[in-house]
Amino acid sequence: MADTEATTGPGTAADPVTRWRPVAGRSLAGARKASRSTRAWRVGSSAAIVTAVVLAVLIVPPLVALDEQAVHLADKLLPPSAAHPFGTDDVGRDLLVRCVYGLRVSLLVGVVAAVVATVIGTAVGALAASAGGWVDRVVMRLVDVFSSVPHLLLGIFIVAMFRPGVWPVVISVALTHWLSTARIVRAEVLSLRSRPYVDAAISGGASRWRVTVRHLLPGVLPQAGLAAVLMVPHAIWHESALSFLGLGLPTHQASLGTLVQGARSSLLAGDWWPTLFPGLFIIVPTLAIAGLAGAWRDRINPRRRSELML
Amino acid sequence: MTGPVPPAGAPAPALSVRGLSVRFRMHGGTHVAAVTDARFDLAAGECLALVGESGCGKSVLASALLGLLPENAETAGAALLGDGTDLLTADERTLARTVRGRRVGLVPQSPAAHLTPVRTVRSQLEETLRELAGVRRPDLRKAAAAAAERASFPLGHLDRYPHELSGGLAQRAATALALIGDAPLLLADEPTTGLDRELVDRTVDELRRHVGDDRALLLITHDLAAAERIADRVAVMYASRVVEIAAADDFFGDAGPRHPYARGLLNALPEREFTPIPGMPPELSALPGGCAFAARCDRADAACGTVPALTGGVPLSTGAGGASTGAVPVSAGAGVACHHPVTAALEAPRA
Amino acid sequence: MLELRSLTAGYDRRDPVVRDVSLTVAPGESVGLLGPSGCGKSTLARVAALLHRPDRGQVVVDGEPVHGWRHRAPRDRRTAFGVVFQQPRLSADPRLSLAQIVAEPLRATGRAADVPERVPELARTVGLGADLLGRRPHEVSDGQLQRACLARALVLRPRWLICDEMTAMLDASTTAALVAVVEEYRAASGAGLLAVGHDRVLLERWCERTVEWRELTGATGATGGSAAHPAAE
């Protein structure tokens, strides 16, 4: 048969001179490593920015006794300097302090709204999927109807019903953002529900409630959590947009949206800093949060193969 | 021991595996030995069936031969193609441009997952033809039909998407893709999992037909019936090691397997004794020092505390000294890694 | 008596995969149902285990017709069936350990107190060591996971066992071991078995009676049996 050649020695097992080569020495693996280091850089910088932002909004206002509302008309519209790194606005308030306070409000609105929206979305999605039948059809058609109205328009409608303030904005953002989560959770539950292990659980006597709580919800939580994190930047933008339109927070209260709005007139006069810095404060932290969420998504990707390919 | 094959008078084997080992680095610096010191030759025109239960390391061996191991893997030894290319050390560019598809064709385990779901079978065949065979546009359609025909894929189904195909047809589509590069070595990794007996027979027969006289087939399977149907030789893997290599006629015929594990596996078949081997295989992360099968073996004794070498000869004595006692080094053709190989003839299967 | 009377079932009412099939399994009897891939025998197995509502026809268990399927079936009805599926990877919740997987039916039916006694006992029966019980599905092989799935099916001491291609993914030794466990349980409990599969040699060795899918579908069976299946396009 294949006796073309005989080995030169018996393949003894405890071969002490086994020379192991890492597979990673290959060129593609090298390329992969490069992409991995850029990924690490992205995650690292995102994490650093998010940490800095959280520290800034949590620690700076209580510790540093700066009054964001302090008006110094003599110092109005100063360009960035050592005393005022971000410059001052048209009534002489320090823009760095106002940006930190604004970020604090925007972040609060974003996080609370995202959490509320995720809870609503997960509950509705799970209910629709596990109830099935007409409940599912009615609920999901309602979701479709709400989705067909532009978010911002719906949000404006909701804030218009209340006096301006933080909570109407939270409610407005939360009520317009749970729709996509409900869809994601429903799809995920439906796909999990057809798995044989759910059949096995039913055959093992599990109630509808037990199947949902023990087997279905734990399966969708990573997805729902990811949706929640991705929603935070979205909610911040939404808040900013509402405030920019003058419908969100009262104009004297610093939020990133009101800051940009208040700076419009000075932009026309050629003063760039009152819009630039609040704008950067909207863009950079939201990108950082999205970056972290992306890394998380890569981690929970179910298609990821287990380390051992047995 | 692991050097290139000397150019002897006979043609070099299509694949020559020399001391191939794979281990995985795990968290905490521990290692899992998935393949240990595998050695075998595969000649052109030959079909070698690598059998063993799930988790014995046979799929890792296949991945190693294709250069598809994950990053935490380490390899040792060599796996040489007929022209001397070492599959274990070749860089990714070489593997991607000149090896995969062209010199080693893969018939995958789950064809449905191997095919691109959003494209028709025809477009996948045409793309592969363009890439591997350099076929240009006017001839592409004809070439795709020819490629489909080679794997008995019905031409009427060429414009279907993978999810519209039955299991057997998806398997044939994947086989057609694997055959396009005219690779001298075909690697079939559990090509019949989940298919019914008739489709299994049909699939392996087709593979055998494609091997013909000038190609070689490494069939990795847990299905002994499929192995019996087409293999020239059988290699049995247990707990990361090849424990027996035998001519298929001997293995499934009167002589029977000589390794107690291989014999137990064969006797577990419903057409034979239908009795399981007692116990379970050891974990690859915690292999015993000696023979890995000793704990489940009724022939085990003190000698089994050392790992037996894969040898071709019958030991002269079973006393102390074990592996070195008069054992003849294994030829690439047949051998058994056991201190006390079974010599009795095998009971014939039930009618 | 488990009686399947003129069942028509599937996932699309216009194109059912099971058409007018009847089959009876007596208590203590083992019946092998042979059929090619994709013929609908798995759907029939799910109907028999009260996991899939048929479009037409009747399932009668011990003389009582079944009116509800899945959650609509009374709990003691559902748990009278132990089910083992083809793919252990899909049949086990990936977040639970093997011990939790085996214990789940006990917990779901308010018998958590039996867990410390029953789970190790069943683990021994199916040949799972204590170290394996603490692992999660991705840390064990297909064969080991299927052993846990069989233990789960037996933990409530079902009167009927439905094995749908239980051994299709397994090697010869594990197949023989799991079949031996099923037969041991049946000998002790007198449970009836419906084993669905495509391996004639296996089912004929395993079961007292083997029926062919095409015999069940009778005149309406369009495929004309295994010989005509996908082979003949």
PDB file of all heavy atoms in Angstrom, chain B residues 192-211:
ATOM      1  N   THR B 192     -20.185  13.436   6.660  1.00  0.00           N
ATOM      2  CA  THR B 192     -21.487  12.761   6.625  1.00  0.00           C
ATOM      3  C   THR B 192     -22.302  12.958   7.896  1.00  0.00           C
ATOM      4  O   THR B 192     -23.341  12.334   8.051  1.00  0.00           O
ATOM      5  CB  THR B 192     -21.283  11.249   6.404  1.00  0.00           C
ATOM      6  OG1 THR B 192     -20.493  10.735   7.479  1.00  0.00           O
ATOM      7  CG2 THR B 192     -20.602  10.981   5.097  1.00  0.00           C
ATOM      8  N   THR B 193     -21.860  13.827   8.790  1.00  0.00           N
ATOM      9  CA  THR B 193     -22.580  14.011  10.042  1.00  0.00           C
ATOM     10  C   THR B 193     -24.029  14.417   9.778  1.00  0.00           C
ATOM     11  O   THR B 193     -24.286  15.352   9.027  1.00  0.00           O
ATOM     12  CB  THR B 193     -21.910  15.100  10.893  1.00  0.00           C
ATOM     13  OG1 THR B 193     -20.571  14.704  11.107  1.00  0.00           O
ATOM     14  CG2 THR B 193     -22.590  15.239  12.233  1.00  0.00           C
ATOM     15  N   GLY B 194     -24.953  13.707  10.392  1.00  0.00           N
ATOM     16  CA  GLY B 194     -26.357  14.086  10.297  1.00  0.00           C
ATOM     17  C   GLY B 194     -27.042  13.600   9.031  1.00  0.00           C
ATOM     18  O   GLY B 194     -28.231  13.797   8.864  1.00  0.00           O
ATOM     19  N   LEU B 195     -26.304  12.991   8.114  1.00  0.00           N
ATOM     20  CA  LEU B 195     -26.958  12.462   6.913  1.00  0.00           C
ATOM     21  C   LEU B 195     -27.447  11.045   7.199  1.00  0.00           C
ATOM     22  O   LEU B 195     -26.891  10.350   8.031  1.00  0.00           O
ATOM     23  CB  LEU B 195     -25.963  12.430   5.739  1.00  0.00           C
ATOM     24  CG  LEU B 195     -25.343  13.755   5.324  1.00  0.00           C
ATOM     25  CD1 LEU B 195     -24.455  13.549   4.102  1.00  0.00           C
ATOM     26  CD2 LEU B 195     -26.434  14.763   5.020  1.00  0.00           C
ATOM     27  N   ASP B 196     -28.478  10.633   6.468  1.00  0.00           N
ATOM     28  CA  ASP B 196     -28.910   9.263   6.701  1.00  0.00           C
ATOM     29  C   ASP B 196     -28.028   8.302   5.920  1.00  0.00           C
ATOM     30  O   ASP B 196     -27.232   8.697   5.074  1.00  0.00           O
ATOM     31  CB  ASP B 196     -30.401   9.087   6.404  1.00  0.00           C
ATOM     32  CG  ASP B 196     -30.731   9.422   4.973  1.00  0.00           C
ATOM     33  OD1 ASP B 196     -30.034   8.912   4.086  1.00  0.00           O
ATOM     34  OD2 ASP B 196     -31.663  10.204   4.747  1.00  0.00           O
ATOM     35  N   ARG B 197     -28.190   7.038   6.252  1.00  0.00           N
ATOM     36  CA  ARG B 197     -27.261   6.021   5.758  1.00  0.00           C
ATOM     37  C   ARG B 197     -27.093   6.066   4.238  1.00  0.00           C
ATOM     38  O   ARG B 197     -25.985   6.012   3.714  1.00  0.00           O
ATOM     39  CB  ARG B 197     -27.775   4.649   6.223  1.00  0.00           C
ATOM     40  CG  ARG B 197     -26.989   3.435   5.795  1.00  0.00           C
ATOM     41  CD  ARG B 197     -25.520   3.485   6.165  1.00  0.00           C
ATOM     42  NE  ARG B 197     -25.281   3.796   7.568  1.00  0.00           N
ATOM     43  CZ  ARG B 197     -24.144   4.338   8.000  1.00  0.00           C
ATOM     44  NH1 ARG B 197     -23.168   4.620   7.164  1.00  0.00           N
ATOM     45  NH2 ARG B 197     -23.990   4.604   9.264  1.00  0.00           N
ATOM     46  N   GLU B 198     -28.200   6.213   3.552  1.00  0.00           N
ATOM     47  CA  GLU B 198     -28.128   6.200   2.096  1.00  0.00           C
ATOM     48  C   GLU B 198     -27.291   7.368   1.563  1.00  0.00           C
ATOM     49  O   GLU B 198     -26.473   7.208   0.664  1.00  0.00           O
ATOM     50  CB  GLU B 198     -29.544   6.290   1.552  1.00  0.00           C
ATOM     51  CG  GLU B 198     -29.622   5.956   0.108  1.00  0.00           C
ATOM     52  CD  GLU B 198     -31.049   5.568  -0.234  1.00  0.00           C
ATOM     53  OE1 GLU B 198     -31.757   5.062   0.650  1.00  0.00           O
ATOM     54  OE2 GLU B 198     -31.431   5.793  -1.377  1.00  0.00           O
ATOM     55  N   LEU B 199     -27.492   8.546   2.171  1.00  0.00           N
ATOM     56  CA  LEU B 199     -26.721   9.707   1.746  1.00  0.00           C
ATOM     57  C   LEU B 199     -25.265   9.581   2.159  1.00  0.00           C
ATOM     58  O   LEU B 199     -24.368  10.033   1.451  1.00  0.00           O
ATOM     59  CB  LEU B 199     -27.324  10.978   2.345  1.00  0.00           C
ATOM     60  CG  LEU B 199     -28.587  11.460   1.650  1.00  0.00           C
ATOM     61  CD1 LEU B 199     -29.177  12.627   2.407  1.00  0.00           C
ATOM     62  CD2 LEU B 199     -28.262  11.858   0.230  1.00  0.00           C
ATOM     63  N   VAL B 200     -25.036   8.950   3.307  1.00  0.00           N
ATOM     64  CA  VAL B 200     -23.660   8.718   3.732  1.00  0.00           C
ATOM     65  C   VAL B 200     -22.956   7.877   2.677  1.00  0.00           C
ATOM     66  O   VAL B 200     -21.877   8.226   2.183  1.00  0.00           O
ATOM     67  CB  VAL B 200     -23.620   7.994   5.097  1.00  0.00           C
ATOM     68  CG1 VAL B 200     -22.206   7.517   5.399  1.00  0.00           C
ATOM     69  CG2 VAL B 200     -24.112   8.909   6.197  1.00  0.00           C
ATOM     70  N   ASP B 201     -23.594   6.770   2.308  1.00  0.00           N
ATOM     71  CA  ASP B 201     -22.979   5.880   1.333  1.00  0.00           C
ATOM     72  C   ASP B 201     -22.712   6.606   0.027  1.00  0.00           C
ATOM     73  O   ASP B 201     -21.625   6.524  -0.552  1.00  0.00           O
ATOM     74  CB  ASP B 201     -23.906   4.677   1.065  1.00  0.00           C
ATOM     75  CG  ASP B 201     -23.949   3.751   2.275  1.00  0.00           C
ATOM     76  OD1 ASP B 201     -23.148   3.981   3.200  1.00  0.00           O
ATOM     77  OD2 ASP B 201     -24.766   2.828   2.285  1.00  0.00           O
ATOM     78  N   ARG B 202     -23.706   7.358  -0.413  1.00  0.00           N
ATOM     79  CA  ARG B 202     -23.570   8.083  -1.670  1.00  0.00           C
ATOM     80  C   ARG B 202     -22.436   9.101  -1.599  1.00  0.00           C
ATOM     81  O   ARG B 202     -21.607   9.207  -2.499  1.00  0.00           O
ATOM     82  CB  ARG B 202     -24.892   8.781  -1.954  1.00  0.00           C
ATOM     83  CG  ARG B 202     -24.943   9.565  -3.214  1.00  0.00           C
ATOM     84  CD  ARG B 202     -26.322  10.152  -3.329  1.00  0.00           C
ATOM     85  NE  ARG B 202     -27.292   9.100  -3.625  1.00  0.00           N
ATOM     86  CZ  ARG B 202     -27.583   8.752  -4.874  1.00  0.00           C
ATOM     87  NH1 ARG B 202     -26.980   9.356  -5.874  1.00  0.00           N
ATOM     88  NH2 ARG B 202     -28.465   7.815  -5.112  1.00  0.00           N
ATOM     89  N   THR B 203     -22.381   9.828  -0.486  1.00  0.00           N
ATOM     90  CA  THR B 203     -21.352  10.864  -0.344  1.00  0.00           C
ATOM     91  C   THR B 203     -19.950  10.262  -0.341  1.00  0.00           C
ATOM     92  O   THR B 203     -19.068  10.725  -1.055  1.00  0.00           O
ATOM     93  CB  THR B 203     -21.579  11.656   0.967  1.00  0.00           C
ATOM     94  OG1 THR B 203     -22.898  12.181   0.954  1.00  0.00           O
ATOM     95  CG2 THR B 203     -20.578  12.780   1.099  1.00  0.00           C
ATOM     96  N   VAL B 204     -19.768   9.216   0.472  1.00  0.00           N
ATOM     97  CA  VAL B 204     -18.413   8.668   0.535  1.00  0.00           C
ATOM     98  C   VAL B 204     -18.043   7.963  -0.766  1.00  0.00           C
ATOM     99  O   VAL B 204     -16.884   8.007  -1.190  1.00  0.00           O
ATOM    100  CB  VAL B 204     -18.212   7.736   1.752  1.00  0.00           C
ATOM    101  CG1 VAL B 204     -18.339   8.509   3.039  1.00  0.00           C
ATOM    102  CG2 VAL B 204     -19.157   6.557   1.713  1.00  0.00           C
ATOM    103  N   ASP B 205     -19.016   7.350  -1.412  1.00  0.00           N
ATOM    104  CA  ASP B 205     -18.714   6.728  -2.709  1.00  0.00           C
ATOM    105  C   ASP B 205     -18.233   7.770  -3.708  1.00  0.00           C
ATOM    106  O   ASP B 205     -17.284   7.541  -4.462  1.00  0.00           O
ATOM    107  CB  ASP B 205     -19.952   6.024  -3.267  1.00  0.00           C
ATOM    108  CG  ASP B 205     -20.260   4.726  -2.525  1.00  0.00           C
ATOM    109  OD1 ASP B 205     -19.420   4.353  -1.673  1.00  0.00           O
ATOM    110  OD2 ASP B 205     -21.313   4.120  -2.784  1.00  0.00           O
ATOM    111  N   GLU B 206     -18.903   8.923  -3.688  1.00  0.00           N
ATOM    112  CA  GLU B 206     -18.498   9.981  -4.606  1.00  0.00           C
ATOM    113  C   GLU B 206     -17.083  10.453  -4.290  1.00  0.00           C
ATOM    114  O   GLU B 206     -16.258  10.643  -5.182  1.00  0.00           O
ATOM    115  CB  GLU B 206     -19.465  11.159  -4.517  1.00  0.00           C
ATOM    116  CG  GLU B 206     -20.629  11.002  -5.482  1.00  0.00           C
ATOM    117  CD  GLU B 206     -21.791  11.909  -5.133  1.00  0.00           C
ATOM    118  OE1 GLU B 206     -21.575  12.867  -4.364  1.00  0.00           O
ATOM    119  OE2 GLU B 206     -22.903  11.643  -5.618  1.00  0.00           O
ATOM    120  N   LEU B 207     -16.805  10.599  -3.010  1.00  0.00           N
ATOM    121  CA  LEU B 207     -15.453  11.021  -2.626  1.00  0.00           C
ATOM    122  C   LEU B 207     -14.432  10.009  -3.131  1.00  0.00           C
ATOM    123  O   LEU B 207     -13.414  10.355  -3.711  1.00  0.00           O
ATOM    124  CB  LEU B 207     -15.355  11.151  -1.102  1.00  0.00           C
ATOM    125  CG  LEU B 207     -16.021  12.389  -0.513  1.00  0.00           C
ATOM    126  CD1 LEU B 207     -16.003  12.336   1.003  1.00  0.00           C
ATOM    127  CD2 LEU B 207     -15.297  13.644  -1.004  1.00  0.00           C
ATOM    128  N   ARG B 208     -14.747   8.747  -2.919  1.00  0.00           N
ATOM    129  CA  ARG B 208     -13.834   7.680  -3.330  1.00  0.00           C
ATOM    130  C   ARG B 208     -13.602   7.743  -4.844  1.00  0.00           C
ATOM    131  O   ARG B 208     -12.489   7.598  -5.334  1.00  0.00           O
ATOM    132  CB  ARG B 208     -14.448   6.340  -2.936  1.00  0.00           C
ATOM    133  CG  ARG B 208     -13.722   5.115  -3.399  1.00  0.00           C
ATOM    134  CD  ARG B 208     -12.543   4.831  -2.523  1.00  0.00           C
ATOM    135  NE  ARG B 208     -11.292   4.932  -3.261  1.00  0.00           N
ATOM    136  CZ  ARG B 208     -10.124   4.516  -2.788  1.00  0.00           C
ATOM    137  NH1 ARG B 208     -10.036   4.005  -1.582  1.00  0.00           N
ATOM    138  NH2 ARG B 208      -9.043   4.643  -3.489  1.00  0.00           N
ATOM    139  N   ARG B 209     -14.680   8.009  -5.563  1.00  0.00           N
ATOM    140  CA  ARG B 209     -14.574   8.055  -7.017  1.00  0.00           C
ATOM    141  C   ARG B 209     -13.642   9.184  -7.451  1.00  0.00           C
ATOM    142  O   ARG B 209     -12.835   9.043  -8.351  1.00  0.00           O
ATOM    143  CB  ARG B 209     -15.972   8.237  -7.607  1.00  0.00           C
ATOM    144  CG  ARG B 209     -16.092   8.040  -9.092  1.00  0.00           C
ATOM    145  CD  ARG B 209     -17.524   7.751  -9.487  1.00  0.00           C
ATOM    146  NE  ARG B 209     -18.466   8.749  -8.970  1.00  0.00           N
ATOM    147  CZ  ARG B 209     -18.609   9.964  -9.487  1.00  0.00           C
ATOM    148  NH1 ARG B 209     -17.852  10.336 -10.498  1.00  0.00           N
ATOM    149  NH2 ARG B 209     -19.483  10.796  -8.982  1.00  0.00           N
ATOM    150  N   HIS B 210     -13.734  10.317  -6.748  1.00  0.00           N
ATOM    151  CA  HIS B 210     -12.895  11.448  -7.120  1.00  0.00           C
ATOM    152  C   HIS B 210     -11.435  11.198  -6.813  1.00  0.00           C
ATOM    153  O   HIS B 210     -10.557  11.725  -7.467  1.00  0.00           O
ATOM    154  CB  HIS B 210     -13.352  12.701  -6.390  1.00  0.00           C
ATOM    155  CG  HIS B 210     -14.673  13.147  -6.860  1.00  0.00           C
ATOM    156  ND1 HIS B 210     -14.901  13.496  -8.157  1.00  0.00           N
ATOM    157  CD2 HIS B 210     -15.850  13.267  -6.230  1.00  0.00           C
ATOM    158  CE1 HIS B 210     -16.170  13.815  -8.300  1.00  0.00           C
ATOM    159  NE2 HIS B 210     -16.765  13.674  -7.150  1.00  0.00           N
ATOM    160  N   VAL B 211     -11.192  10.396  -5.795  1.00  0.00           N
ATOM    161  CA  VAL B 211      -9.810  10.104  -5.451  1.00  0.00           C
ATOM    162  C   VAL B 211      -9.133   9.398  -6.614  1.00  0.00           C
ATOM    163  O   VAL B 211      -8.014   9.721  -6.985  1.00  0.00           O
ATOM    164  CB  VAL B 211      -9.762   9.248  -4.172  1.00  0.00           C
ATOM    165  CG1 VAL B 211      -8.372   8.696  -3.971  1.00  0.00           C
ATOM    166  CG2 VAL B 211     -10.186  10.082  -2.987  1.00  0.00           C
TER     167      VAL B 211
END
